[in-house]
Amino acid sequence: MPNLPKCLSNIRFGSFLTYSPQGRGISEISNKSRIITYGIKDDRPGYIEYCISRLKEEIVPGKRAESLASLFGNDVVIVPCPRSAPMVAGALWSPRSICAQLVQQGLAKESSILLERVNPVAKSSTSSPERRPKPLDHVRTLGISKQIELVGANKITIIDDVITKGATLIAAASVLKHHLPDASISVFGLVRTISYGEISAIMEPVLGEITVTGNDANRNP
């Protein structure tokens, strides 16, 4: 595939909340983190709106999420990260709802669907670690929407609901960077997975980096 975008070696990422997957943490706070995360992923009424309102409260100077301010603003175009399968009418797509709330609450200039899934990949959330798609699997199965011809943005943030290792997000950024080489591109997952057990707090904003080593993605922190 001669026009296949080159996968980036690293990308800046941010996230706001944490959660402990089923079968890991058993504390009250870990259980509550799952309730919130499933509410976000299933786009249940009120969950995304509330979480974005808390992000807006905390993103100002002196607050816990101050470091995330660089990912948002009235000069930033936000892009929902595609699902694992091509879009069909009526399908659940929580990143699009997150983007809508970010715009509505004044944290972004506009939301634009610039990326689409052309061919399906396995869902990371339901796959064993060894079978989860790698960054290049995502690069090969992502495409660009016709709307990209209308984008004049210098700053773009790709938005996802949950970030685990970051393979989907760094691949999405790679595809966008291939077509918009002059744009500054970052990624944001509203929730990040904490895979090693209990969590100490649900609201744990971080600004970090996703890197690709070998053929896999790694998130730090």
Side-chain angles (χ1 to χ4, degrees):
M1 298 179 68
N3 295 320
L4 187 70
K6 180 181 179 182
C7 190
L8 297 171
S9 60
N10 61 84
I11 191 75
R12 184 175 62 148
F13 93 94
S15 73
F16 183 50
L17 308 173
T18 66
Y19 103 108
S20 178
Q22 193 71 38
R24 304 296 172 85
I26 59 173
S27 67
E28 181 179 353
I29 194 166
S30 290
N31 288 328
K32 185 177 180 181
S33 77
R34 286 190 281 274
I35 293 171
I36 293 171
T37 300
Y38 299 156
I40 291 168
K41 288 180 69 67
D42 294 340
D43 201 357
R44 297 173 191 165
Y47 276 80
I48 291 174
E49 180 181 4
Y50 174 75
C51 291
I52 299 305
S53 69
R54 291 303 310 273
L55 173 63
K56 184 177 181 178
E57 291 173 2
E58 296 291 331
I59 211 169
V60 298
K63 293 280 193 167
R64 282 177 285 182
E66 179 182 359
S67 63
L68 299 178
S70 60
L71 303 180
F72 302 103
N74 57 15
D75 59 343
V76 176
V77 172
I78 52 176
V79 176
C81 191
R83 292 158 27 98
S84 60
M87 198 66 189
V88 296
L92 183 67
W93 190 14
S94 55
R96 178 170 55 185
S97 298
I98 295 170
C99 286
Q101 277 297 320
L102 287 167
V103 173
Q104 185 173 324
Q105 298 197 37
L107 293 177
K109 175 184 177 182
E110 62 180 302
S111 173
S112 187
I113 300 173
L114 302 184
L115 292 163
E116 59 187 11
R117 185 72 68 175
V118 178
N119 294 302
V121 294
K123 289 184 69 173
S124 295
S125 60
T126 56
S127 299
S128 59
E130 65 274 8
R131 301 197 63 172
R132 286 175 187 153
K134 307 302 183 188
L136 275 178
D137 297 321
H138 290 292
V139 168
R140 294 187 184 106
T141 58
L142 289 171
I144 291 292
S145 163
K146 292 180 180 178
Q147 292 188 42
I148 200 164
E149 299 172 1
L150 306 176
V151 173
N154 293 320
K155 294 178 66 177
I156 296 173
T157 300
I158 303 170
I159 306 294
D160 209 352
D161 48 12
V162 177
I163 176 173
T164 302
K165 298 185 75 172
T168 309
L169 281 168
I170 197 167
S174 300
V175 174
L176 269 190
K177 192 68 174 177
H178 179 75
H179 292 272
L180 298 170
D182 296 329
S184 172
I185 300 174
S186 302
V187 301
F188 174 79
L190 184 54
V191 182
R192 76 183 185 278
T193 304
I194 304 298
S195 300
Y196 45 77
E198 303 289 1
I199 60 173
S200 58
I202 295 174
M203 186 189 296
E204 285 284 354
V206 298
L207 189 65
E209 186 178 53
I210 301 166
T211 59
V212 174
T213 303
N215 67 344
D216 206 359
N218 294 283
R219 189 195 80 207
N220 183 31

